[in-house]
């Protein structure tokens, strides 16, 4: 670098012709890299005074950077530097110009001397540097003597900004009981001064308030704990004042401060403690299970989940009778009754309760057990209670039809209080509306008050009320169920009316029917029926009764070869007896019908008419005979129906019905040349048809109905002067409506009448045969061979009409 600077200095002496240079005022020294930087544009040659050749312009050193002090407070413009060229001989022939950022408004240049001044005070924090361009021109012609040279004016920083905490005030927390050096938070201050120049932006942190609890790192601003075992329960909030000072903390530096609010967060470092070691509670003996007997509380200095307390009853005197739960609202221990109390049995309970934390911190186990114990004594208060029955419910049995006043059973209640008051008994009238029972008010014995019937009510549910004599308000109730036992008062009978049958080919000893019995009585051990033949039918040689021993019996044959023509029905009496006391029995009648059966015993028929059928005629043969008879009857019915229908057919049969059929003829026409097969005029004009019918004295009837008798209704003729087809159709419609011979179904009538009187005349080819009589059809011959036949037909008609006209004219 030094060698290059020397080379540039040598070249400046060699080329003694003028060049533009910038002279900086006294100021901060520049580094060698900033010296001697030659602008490439200054190496180009320039024309001087119209010379015929180019002459190299020699340049001096180029100062491409100036400094101006910020916040300048002087009265005169601040001198920045001087612009000078070697071509300037001091004869005022050169003029200096300044262009770029702030030229003319912030910076100004003396056109003659090249001195640069700053017109106002500058702030580096607003804009740190300005880029400008300078040039030397001829004062007379304004011709550039040098190319433009670019340089920078840098605003030199001064310590005019104090450090600032942009995020303050700060909020931080640290767990209580933390060791020394525990990280709390970090603060950062920002200085707007130039960090590359001097110590204006070098910040140092210090703590002004908050010692000896916390410390701050002077370089990083990290705050740490400085005192061990800080207890939240002693002091929870701390306010620390931090200072940030520039100039490395030296005297004269600017400083800024911020506040940090530090909270000690809670840890579980305190066990719960009871406010007293003994609690005395009372509870009435009548308290229900689940009743809250009382509340105790262990206080914990911690907060949140670290203050949650769990209570437990220590096994001993009261752990079976009482329990304790924790209230979620205030962490109190609620003592709950687990079982009913009885003052007469035990008057007091004493037990211990433990209180411990639900969430333990293992760091503090060395401090001891995190629980506390208190003693609880509960005294039971005597309460005047209602009498107590010896049983929760009673069940009794009584036979139906028992005499009134029979004792069924007794209930017992007693007063367990110390007074041992007498008890009186009564029946709740709502449970015994019909007063079937009575009770002795002193002894509690229950007796019948009415005759009982099991078949009406098999079970009675009544309520007995026990009342203390000296306190009628105190009552207790008990349910009594009375079962009415059955007395054998009904005789058994057949379960259903049995109707049996016996086959004619039945064998001796064959069971033809199994039957059972029923009884309205309901013995405790169930029914037990026995069956036997009646004494009056002991000589029966046809059937007998066999008892199966399971409440069923069977009818057994004593002979074979039963015949329906001899006896169709047998009646067998059977004696049914139950096992009750007293024994009840009845006689039932079993009906047995003699029937014909297959060889396998399946039933054929039991009717008497079957006796007269040929022997050996099977069921299949009977069915076949019946089927043939039915078929013959169907054929006869169909034949008769067809005959009647044929007599009632109308004139228009199904084959003649124009709605459903097309009539076929086997006659072959004559083709296009057959013009005399029928009269086209008759088909086209209904007037012609009408005239012919009138001449032949024939009546006009409907074509779709066969006329049975001639009616006296004469259809009026259609007016030949009518020109409206609508009037013609309406007239026909009215005629058809009053015609009594019309069929009961819809019919279609077609009228080949075109109408008359049209202004445009007829457009139909049918009417044209009659109307267009003078039409000349000779032009059809000119249409070619395809219309030859058509021309011949109409040509003949034209000739015929011409002859007719001539004859008429002659007449």
């Amino acid at each position: 670098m030094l060698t290059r600077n020397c080379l540039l200095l040598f070249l400046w002496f060699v080329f003694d012709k003028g060049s533009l240079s910038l002279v900086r005022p006294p100021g901060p020294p520049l580094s060698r890299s900033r010296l001697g930087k030659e602008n490439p544009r200054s190496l180009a040659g320039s024309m001087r005074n119209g010379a015929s050749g180019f002459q190299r312009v020699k340049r001096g050193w180029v100062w491409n950077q100036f400094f101006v002090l910020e916040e300048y407070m002087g009265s005169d413009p601040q001198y920045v530097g001087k612009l000078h060229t070697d071509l300037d001989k001091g004869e005022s022939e050169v003029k200096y110009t300044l262009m770029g950022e702030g030229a003319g408004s912030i910076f100004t240049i003396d056109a003659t001397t090249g001195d640069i001044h700053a017109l106002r005070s500058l702030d580096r924090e607003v804009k740190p540097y300005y880029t400008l361009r300078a040039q030397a021109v001829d004062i007379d012609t304004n011709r550039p003597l040098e190319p433009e040279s670019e340089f920078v004016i840098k605003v030199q920083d001064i310590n005019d900004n104090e450090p600032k905490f942009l995020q303050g005030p700060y909020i931080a927390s640290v767990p209580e009981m933390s060791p020394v050096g525990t990280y709390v938070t970090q603060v950062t201050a920002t200085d707007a001064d130039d960090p590359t120049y001097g110590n204006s932006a070098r910040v140092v942190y210090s703590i002004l308030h908050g010692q000896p609890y916390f410390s701050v790192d002077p370089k990083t601003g990290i705050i740490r704990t400085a005192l061990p075992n800080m207890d939240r329960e002693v002091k929870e909030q701390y306010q620390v004042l931090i200072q940030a000072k520039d100039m490395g903390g030296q005297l004269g530096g600017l400083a800024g401060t911020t506040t940090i609010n530090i909270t000690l967060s809670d840890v579980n470092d305190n066990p719960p403690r009871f406010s007293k070691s003994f609690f005395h509670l009372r509870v009435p003996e009548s308290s229900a299970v689940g009743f809250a007997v009382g509340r105790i509380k262990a206080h914990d200095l911690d907060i949140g989940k670290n203050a949650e307390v769990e209570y437990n009853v220590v096994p001993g005197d009261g752990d079976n009778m009482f329990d304790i739960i924790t209230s979620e609202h205030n962490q109190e221990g609620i003592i709950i009754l687990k079982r009913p109390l009885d003052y007469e049995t035990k008057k007091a309970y004493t037990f211990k309760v433990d209180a411990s934390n639900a969430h333990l911190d293992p760091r503090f186990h060395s401090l001891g057990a995190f629980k506390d114990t208190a003693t609880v004594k509960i005294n039971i208060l005597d309460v005047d209670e209602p009498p107590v029955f010896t049983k929760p419910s009673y069940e009794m049995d009584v036979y139906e039809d028992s005499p009134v006043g029979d004792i069924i059973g007794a209930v017992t209640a007693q007063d367990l209080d110390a007074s041992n008051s007498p008890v009186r008994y009564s029946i709740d009238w709502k449970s015994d509306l019909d007063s079937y029972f009575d009770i002795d008010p002193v002894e509690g014995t229950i007796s019948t008050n009415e005759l009982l019937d099991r078949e009406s009510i098999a079970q009675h549910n009544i309520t007995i009320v026990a009342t203390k004599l000296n306190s009628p308000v105190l009552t207790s109730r008990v349910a009594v169920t009375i079962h009415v036992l059955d007395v054998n008062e009904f005789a058994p009978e057949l379960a259903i009316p049995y109707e049996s049958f016996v086959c004619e080919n039945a064998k001796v000893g064959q069971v033809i029917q199994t039957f059972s019995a029923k009884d309205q009585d309901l013995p405790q051990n169930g029914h037990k029926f026995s069956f036997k033949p009646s004494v009056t039918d002991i000589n029966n040689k046809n059937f007998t009764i066999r008892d199966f021993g399971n409440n069923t019996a069977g009818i057994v044959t004593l002979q074979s070869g039963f015949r329906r023509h001899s006896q169709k029905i047998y009646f067998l009496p059977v004696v049914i007896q139950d096992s009750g006391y007293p024994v009840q029995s009845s006689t039932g009648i079993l009906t047995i019908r003699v029937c014909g059966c297959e060889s396998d015993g399946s039933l054929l028929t039991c009717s008497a008419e079957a006796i007269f059928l040929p022997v050996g005629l099977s069921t299949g043969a009977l069915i076949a005979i019946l089927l043939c008879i039915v078929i013959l009857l169907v054929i006869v019915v169909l034949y008769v129906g067809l005959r009647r229908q044929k007599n009632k057919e109308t004139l228009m049969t199904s084959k003649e019905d124009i709605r459903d059929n097309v009539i076929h003829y086997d006659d072959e026409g004559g083709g296009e040349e057959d013009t005399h097969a029928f009269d086209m005029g008759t088909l086209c004009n209904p007037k012609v048809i009408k005239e012919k019918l009138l001449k032949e004295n024939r009546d006009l009837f409907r074509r779709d109905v066969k006329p049975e008798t001639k009616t006296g209704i004469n259809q009026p003729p259609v007016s030949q002067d009518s020109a409206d087809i609508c009037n013609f159709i309406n007239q026909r419609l009215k005629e058809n409506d009053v015609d009594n011979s019309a069929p009961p179904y819809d019919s279609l009538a077609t009228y080949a009448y075109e109408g008359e009187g049209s202004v445009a005349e007829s457009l139909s080819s049918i009417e044209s045969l009659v109307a267009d009589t003078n039409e000349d059809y000779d032009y059809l011959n000119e249409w070619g061979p395809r219309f030859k036949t058509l021309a011949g037909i109409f040509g003949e008609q034209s000739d015929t009409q011409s002859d007719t006209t001539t004859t008429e004219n002659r007449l």
Side-chain angles (χ1 to χ4, degrees):
M1 181 64 69
L2 183 60
T3 304
R4 189 181 67 176
N5 292 339
C6 294
L7 180 59
L8 292 174
L9 182 62
F10 174 75
L11 292 175
W12 180 70
F13 281 101
V14 171
F15 300 100
D16 54 355
K17 295 299 180 180
S19 63
L20 183 65
S21 64
L22 301 175
V23 182
R24 35 182 324 271
L30 296 176
S31 61
R32 293 186 177 183
S33 62
R34 297 178 181 175
L35 299 176
K37 289 185 180 178
E38 186 174 1
N39 192 326
R41 291 179 296 178
S42 63
L43 297 179
S46 60
M47 297 292 296
R48 288 178 54 96
N49 300 325
S52 61
F54 290 92
Q55 184 177 4
R56 176 182 289 277
V57 177
K58 293 183 288 183
R59 307 222 27 186
W61 290 0
V62 177
W63 297 76
N64 62 351
Q65 184 168 315
F66 283 96
F67 289 91
V68 58
L69 190 65
E70 73 167 334
E71 304 295 346
Y72 175 73
M73 303 302 294
S75 58
D76 297 331
Q78 183 181 1
Y79 180 72
V80 178
K82 185 180 182 62
L83 181 66
H84 181 74
T85 178
D86 292 342
L87 299 178
D88 186 5
K89 304 301 184 180
E91 298 176 355
S92 300
E93 296 178 354
V94 178
K95 183 176 71 174
Y96 298 95
T97 61
L98 189 64
M99 296 164 290
E101 295 179 340
S105 59
I106 300 177
F107 302 100
T108 183
I109 187 171
D110 190 316
T112 303
T113 62
D115 293 331
I116 301 175
H117 292 82
L119 299 179
R120 59 184 176 86
S121 176
L122 302 178
D123 188 356
R124 190 201 67 84
E125 286 71 33
V126 176
K127 189 173 180 62
Y129 62 89
Y130 297 85
T131 302
L132 295 97
R133 301 186 304 278
Q135 190 174 27
V137 299
D138 189 278
I139 195 172
D140 296 328
T141 63
N142 284 331
R143 183 177 59 85
L145 302 177
E146 294 282 348
E148 288 185 357
S149 295
E150 186 177 281
F151 63 97
V152 174
I153 299 178
K154 188 174 182 182
V155 181
Q156 184 177 349
D157 183 49
I158 63 173
N159 189 17
D160 59 342
N161 293 280
E162 73 279 2
K164 295 181 180 180
F165 293 93
L166 302 180
Q167 299 179 357
Y170 294 84
I171 298 176
S173 65
V174 63
E176 65 173 333
M177 310 300 290
S178 297
V180 176
T182 301
Y183 175 85
V184 179
T185 187
Q186 183 179 11
V187 296
T188 302
T190 303
D191 197 319
D193 293 329
D194 189 359
T196 63
Y197 177 72
N199 295 327
S200 298
R202 182 185 173 190
V203 179
V204 175
Y205 301 95
S206 61
I207 185 168
L208 299 182
H209 179 71
Q211 294 176 337
Y213 306 104
F214 302 96
S215 63
V216 62
D217 187 288
K219 294 182 179 180
T220 61
I222 295 177
I223 300 174
R224 302 178 185 273
T225 58
L227 193 66
N229 298 327
M230 288 189 292
D231 193 358
R232 186 200 65 83
E233 288 73 29
V234 177
K235 186 177 181 180
E236 183 178 5
Q237 298 287 340
Y238 293 87
Q239 191 174 68
V240 179
L241 185 62
I242 300 296
Q243 175 184 268
K245 190 174 183 180
D246 59 11
M247 299 298 293
Q250 299 177 2
L251 187 63
L254 303 179
T257 59
T258 188
T259 301
I260 305 173
N261 296 314
I262 301 175
T263 303
L264 295 183
S265 59
D266 184 60
V267 296
N268 192 8
D269 59 339
N270 295 282
R273 292 285 183 257
F274 285 107
S275 58
K276 54 185 180 180
S277 60
F278 187 85
F279 293 89
H280 191 192
L281 302 175
R282 297 177 182 178
V283 58
E285 65 171 333
S286 60
S287 300
V289 175
F291 176 75
V293 177
R295 295 170 179 257
I296 61 176
K297 184 174 184 179
H299 298 273
D300 195 324
L301 297 178
D302 297 321
I303 60 175
K305 68 176 184 177
N306 296 322
E308 294 179 1
V309 181
E310 291 182 349
Y311 298 92
N312 295 286
V313 177
V314 178
D317 186 24
D319 61 326
N320 293 329
M321 299 296 297
F322 302 95
D323 195 5
I324 187 169
I325 60 175
T326 304
S327 173
E328 297 180 356
H329 302 288
N330 51 15
Q331 297 299 313
E332 287 183 340
I334 305 174
I335 299 176
I336 302 298
L337 184 62
K338 292 173 61 177
R339 295 183 179 180
L341 299 172
D342 187 9
Y343 174 81
E344 288 72 26
T345 303
K346 191 168 185 178
K347 297 177 176 58
Y349 294 88
T350 302
F351 54 91
K352 291 184 178 182
V353 175
D354 286 340
S356 59
N357 282 132
H359 307 281
L360 298 178
D361 194 333
R363 295 179 299 171
F364 305 103
H365 285 174
S366 59
L367 300 179
F370 272 69
K371 69 176 183 178
D372 195 12
T373 304
T375 302
V376 178
K377 183 178 181 180
I378 299 177
N379 291 329
I380 310 302
L381 302 178
D382 186 22
V383 176
D384 196 7
E385 298 174 307
V388 178
F389 286 94
T390 56
K391 294 181 180 180
S393 62
Y394 293 85
E395 289 192 8
M396 301 176 185
D397 297 330
V398 60
Y399 283 98
E400 62 177 340
D401 297 330
S402 297
V404 176
D406 270 7
I407 296 177
I408 302 172
V411 296
T412 303
Q414 59 181 351
D415 183 12
L416 300 179
D417 294 331
S419 60
N420 194 15
S421 174
V423 177
R424 295 294 180 262
Y425 304 95
S426 62
I427 299 177
D428 187 354
W429 65 273
K430 294 181 180 179
S431 63
D432 188 21
L433 296 176
D434 295 327
S435 300
Y436 286 108
F437 305 97
D438 196 4
I439 188 170
D440 188 288
V442 178
E443 300 297 332
T445 55
I446 302 174
S447 60
T448 59
N449 196 35
E450 296 284 347
L451 291 178
L452 303 178
D453 185 11
R454 189 202 63 82
E455 285 70 31
S456 299
I457 303 176
Q459 177 178 303
H460 295 267
N461 298 309
I462 62 175
T463 302
I464 305 300
V465 181
T467 306
K468 291 179 67 171
L469 189 60
N470 60 355
S471 181
V473 179
L474 298 176
T475 62
S476 58
R477 296 169 178 266
V478 69
V480 178
T481 302
I482 300 175
H483 301 281
V484 181
L485 303 180
D486 184 42
V487 175
N488 195 18
E489 56 182 339
F490 294 98
E493 58 185 6
L494 291 174
I496 59 174
Y498 290 96
E499 198 169 311
S500 309
F501 73 93
V502 61
C503 295
E504 290 181 320
N505 55 358
K507 298 179 181 179
V508 178
Q510 181 178 348
V511 179
I512 63 173
Q513 177 69 55
T514 301
F515 59 92
S516 61
K518 64 180 180 178
D519 196 341
Q520 296 185 24
D521 295 318
L522 185 62
Q524 292 182 349
N525 299 326
H527 292 292
K528 179 63 178 176
F529 301 119
S530 61
F531 305 89
K532 61 182 179 180
S534 176
V535 207
T536 59
D537 198 40
I538 195 170
N539 297 323
N540 192 331
K541 298 181 180 180
N542 297 316
F543 305 97
T544 186
I545 302 298
R546 180 185 298 174
D547 192 348
F548 296 141
N550 57 356
N551 291 339
T552 61
I555 303 174
V556 181
T557 59
L558 296 178
Q559 68 167 2
S560 61
F562 294 94
R563 292 293 178 263
R564 282 176 285 176
H565 63 274
S566 300
Q567 186 174 351
K568 297 184 294 183
I569 299 175
Y570 293 88
F571 298 99
L572 180 63
V574 57
V575 177
I576 308 170
Q577 183 177 314
D578 60 16
S579 59
Y581 181 82
V583 176
Q584 298 286 348
S585 64
S586 67
T587 301
I589 303 299
L590 298 172
T591 303
I592 305 171
R593 189 181 297 275
V594 180
C595 299
C597 301
E598 295 282 0
S599 58
D600 58 353
S602 58
L603 179 64
L604 284 177
T605 179
C606 295
S607 61
E609 291 76 4
I611 300 174
F612 302 103
L613 293 175
V615 180
L617 193 61
S618 63
T619 304
L622 292 174
I623 295 175
I625 293 172
L626 293 175
L627 185 61
C628 292
I629 294 173
V630 170
I631 293 175
L632 290 175
L633 290 176
V634 171
I635 293 175
V636 171
V637 171
L638 291 177
Y639 177 76
V640 172
L642 291 176
R643 293 283 297 178
R644 291 181 178 179
Q645 183 67 25
K646 186 174 181 181
N647 294 332
K648 292 183 179 181
E649 281 185 352
T650 60
L651 179 62
M652 182 179 290
T653 61
S654 60
K655 292 183 179 181
E656 297 173 350
D657 193 350
I658 61 174
R659 297 170 300 173
D660 303 324
N661 296 279
V662 178
I663 300 175
H664 301 273
Y665 297 93
D666 293 332
D667 297 338
E668 182 176 357
E672 296 179 353
E673 299 179 356
D674 188 3
T675 59
H676 302 285
F678 54 87
D679 189 359
M680 290 294 294
T682 303
L683 178 63
C684 298
N685 193 348
K687 298 178 182 178
V688 179
I689 299 175
K690 191 188 311 179
E691 293 174 356
K692 290 181 179 181
L693 292 177
L694 292 175
K695 290 179 181 180
E696 296 176 1
N697 295 322
R698 296 179 60 185
D699 296 330
L700 295 175
F701 295 102
R702 297 175 61 93
R703 295 178 298 165
D704 53 352
V705 179
K706 180 180 180 181
E708 296 181 357
T709 59
K710 295 185 178 180
T711 60
I713 301 174
N714 295 325
Q715 299 179 0
V718 180
S719 176
Q720 296 184 4
D721 298 332
S722 175
D724 190 1
I725 188 64
C726 183
N727 294 334
F728 175 81
I729 294 176
N730 289 335
Q731 184 177 0
R732 291 296 186 186
L733 180 60
K734 292 179 181 179
E735 294 174 0
N736 295 332
D737 289 339
V738 299
D739 189 0
N740 295 328
S741 62
Y745 53 85
D746 294 338
S747 61
L748 175 65
T750 305
Y751 303 99
Y753 178 72
E754 189 172 351
E756 297 178 351
S758 174
V759 178
E761 298 183 350
S762 176
L763 301 179
S764 172
S765 60
I766 298 177
E767 186 67 19
S768 62
L769 293 176
V770 179
D772 301 337
T773 55
N774 297 326
E775 183 73 20
D776 188 7
Y777 297 101
D778 293 339
Y779 61 87
L780 294 176
N781 296 322
E782 301 176 0
W783 286 11
R786 293 185 179 181
F787 297 91
K788 182 177 180 180
T789 302
L790 186 62
I793 293 173
F794 286 96
E796 292 177 358
Q797 294 181 1
S798 178
D799 295 339
T800 303
Q801 294 174 359
S802 299
D803 295 340
T804 303
T805 304
T806 305
T807 303
E808 292 177 351
N809 294 333
R810 290 177 181 177
L811 294 176

